[in-house]
Amino acid sequence: MSTLTEKRRVSSILKPSQSVPDGSGTPTRNKVRFAELSIELALRDVLDNNRLTGYDELLEKLKDEDPQDMKFVEIFAEAKQAVPLMKPYFGKLVEFLLSSRWLNRSEEAQEAYKQFVVELSIVQKNYCTMTVAKLVKQFIPDRALQSSSSTVSCIPSEEQQQQMGSLHDLIIRLKNVIPMIFDVVLTQLRKNFPYYKRPSGEVAGYLYNVLRMTEYASIYCDELLDIVFYHLLQLDVNMPRSVIEETEYPDEEMMFEMTDTGEGEDGESGEESDTMKHPVAETLDWFMEIIFNYIEQTVKVDGQGDRLFKIVLNQFDAHILPAHNTDHAQFIMFYICSFKLSYAEHFISSLWKNVNNLNKSPNVRQTSVGYIASMLARAKYVPLNYLKSMLLEMSHWVHNYIQRCDSMHYNQSLKAHLVFYSVCQAIFYVVAFRANHLTSSAKNLTFLQSLQLSSIVTCQLNPLRVCLPTVATAFAGITRAYQLAYCHTILERNARRKLATVYKNNTQLPEDCLDTFFPFDPYMLKKSGKRIEPFYLQYQAHELDEESGGGGGETSGGRGRKRYESVSEDVDDFIPESKRHKHHGVDVSGEFTFSYGVSPGFHS
């Protein structure tokens, strides 16, 4: 008799009431009782009697209903009591419960959800991966899901930050009761990071929450930033500088006309929008802006700059330094070094150690030289005395290398002396780029004489032979003006040798052509670029170049400017476009080409 009574009780709870009582209070009691008992009894009915009818009805009800906050609290309070019954084959029910809308509810409703999740993770560990995945997917703000427009600000609003705060609080609770669960969190963060072509709001919102996790999971800061840097590189390498230029300025003549009339695309204002036209470039811009803001907050407000710098430097060595054709990711190091001179010195010192480390590959050593040269030339916060000390150390290295080679039979091929030629070009580049500072006084000129540049350019390895022609020409002009070295005869002889090689075999490029990478080319992203501009040194033509008319390209009124040129006050018409990112100067026919384009350097 008791068994029959229990079956009837289950049936009456799981199914809608067929007889409605006269009193108005009874149906309300039935509703509350359903919320309190339905989950546990439905699960027991499956476990004890192998009957799925009530369980299926429960799933259907949870799927279709969006209960009010009070009923939501009752449902999750009863679900918490039923957690021990939620075996792996009840995964669908657990998924429905975890997927419930909870962030935009009352504090009481949010607390009920959190208690259920914590209880579930402790008692039924097989649901940990599903639980964490559901939480991580909510890192994308609702606004980003509702709007794919890239013109909307991608920084979360205060309301969204409060909602995300409740989500992060739940993750903190899980980390406290199950410390090893953060390994699952890291895995899900990597797995659910939005694809780089998704709307900017999705990528930026997710990134913002990943960086927020470093506040309460500082022990995992390295792993969290590893995720950030990996996806930053995905964005950067898929948005090359050339594509940004073509998208932002598809028709230069039309742009010049709009600049002259003071009208933009909207026809009313000459002020340019901070929004990038290419959607991926806009995403990259927001990505960099959020990282820059995070660095500033950590260094200035939280006082954790030293620790963050070490972590960022490790990520730079692991991700950015070995990468090919990055245009903006490396500016994270440029920016963080601006907060303290010791950061810049440590960064350059670590790069110089790479150059001297024979266990590093020649490509990594060559790239490290490029970073040193570009940093010394571009960073305003690097003092002249430190620049001179680095030039002196590099010149000592070069002279020692020459002396070792003079005492033995050596191969003059570029491949055999790749690092040597790269260091020589770095010296030539920095001397020519910073000529105004290095020749400003008799003391500085005496320093340049101590570098013994003439011995370098006249050695049998002939470094000018493999340098970029525009670097060599600019360096030759400075050294001749101040009688530091006489390079033009060597340049003319090298040019004749290259011509002879081209005529001998029309399909083969002479190998004495140094691949070059100047990582701190002018920054092209609009929003985040405002943080770089105060510390970024633009090329200023030397007074000798201005007298000869070679450096007037920047101030010439008849020459049009692109937007990033007006911001940077500089057009680096120096390095051939084909040489900007380690590309050989070969056209489709295989012939050697000599052309000029925009890149870090000087006016030809």
Side-chain angles (χ1 to χ4, degrees), residues 480-496:
R480 181 178 63 177
Y482 294 96
Q483 300 181 3
L484 299 171
Y486 298 95
C487 307
H488 287 86
T489 303
I490 300 174
L491 292 177
E492 293 172 1
R493 183 172 68 246
N494 293 337
R496 288 194 297 270

Side-chain angles (χ1 to χ4, degrees), residues 445-457:
L445 287 173
T446 302
F447 163 76
L448 287 179
Q449 292 173 356
S450 68
L451 299 180
Q452 302 180 38
L453 299 174
S454 180
S455 299
I456 298 176
V457 300

Side-chain angles (χ1 to χ4, degrees), residues 1 80 118 179 190 242 263 337 381 414 475-476 506 579:
M1 184 68 181
K80 178 184 175 183
V118 172
R190 291 187 178 93
S242 58
E263 294 185 359
C337 287
Y381 48 77
L414 173 62
F475 173 76
N506 194 37
K579 282 299 188 178

Side-chain angles (χ1 to χ4, degrees), residues 587-599:
D587 60 16
V588 293
S589 64
E591 295 181 353
F592 178 74
T593 58
F594 187 81
S595 59
Y596 295 91
V598 178
S599 194

Side-chain angles (χ1 to χ4, degrees), residues 53-121:
T53 303
Y55 178 71
D56 291 339
E57 290 182 2
L58 175 63
L59 292 180
E60 195 66 27
K61 189 173 183 65
L62 290 174
K63 181 180 179 181
D64 296 339
E65 262 195 359
D66 185 17
Q68 298 296 322
D69 286 358
M70 289 301 298
K71 187 173 182 180
F72 183 90
V73 172
E74 294 170 357
I75 291 175
F76 275 86
E78 202 274 334
K80 178 184 175 183
Q81 299 298 321
V83 163
L85 303 177
M86 295 181 181
K87 304 301 180 182
Y89 34 86
F90 293 129
K92 198 167 186 180
L93 170 64
V94 174
E95 184 177 4
F96 282 159
L97 291 171
L98 293 175
S99 302
S100 300
R101 179 181 61 85
W102 67 281
L103 280 177
N104 55 350
R105 293 184 180 272
S106 65
E107 291 185 5
E108 186 181 3
Q110 292 182 19
E111 183 62 26
Y113 181 90
K114 292 177 184 179
Q115 292 181 6
F116 164 73
V117 170
V118 172
E119 184 74 13
L120 178 70
S121 301

Side-chain angles (χ1 to χ4, degrees), residues 244-315:
I244 297 179
E245 291 176 355
E246 293 172 2
T247 306
E248 293 295 319
Y249 316 103
D251 189 343
E252 289 192 25
E253 293 182 1
M254 181 179 297
M255 180 196 64
F256 298 153
E257 293 176 0
M258 291 189 297
T259 302
D260 294 338
T261 58
E263 294 185 359
E265 288 185 357
D266 297 334
E268 295 182 358
S269 174
E271 297 182 2
E272 294 190 39
S273 170
D274 285 342
T275 303
M276 305 295 292
K277 295 180 181 178
H278 197 291
V280 178
E282 176 71 2
T283 301
L284 178 60
D285 198 3
W286 276 114
F287 208 110
M288 296 295 293
E289 172 64 20
I290 291 174
I291 294 179
F292 288 161
N293 184 69
Y294 169 76
I295 291 174
E296 182 181 18
Q297 177 76 16
T298 305
V299 175
K300 289 186 175 181
V301 180
D302 301 337
Q304 298 292 323
D306 293 350
R307 180 174 180 270
L308 179 63
F309 172 77
K310 293 178 182 178
I311 295 175
V312 172
L313 181 59
N314 290 336
Q315 295 302 321

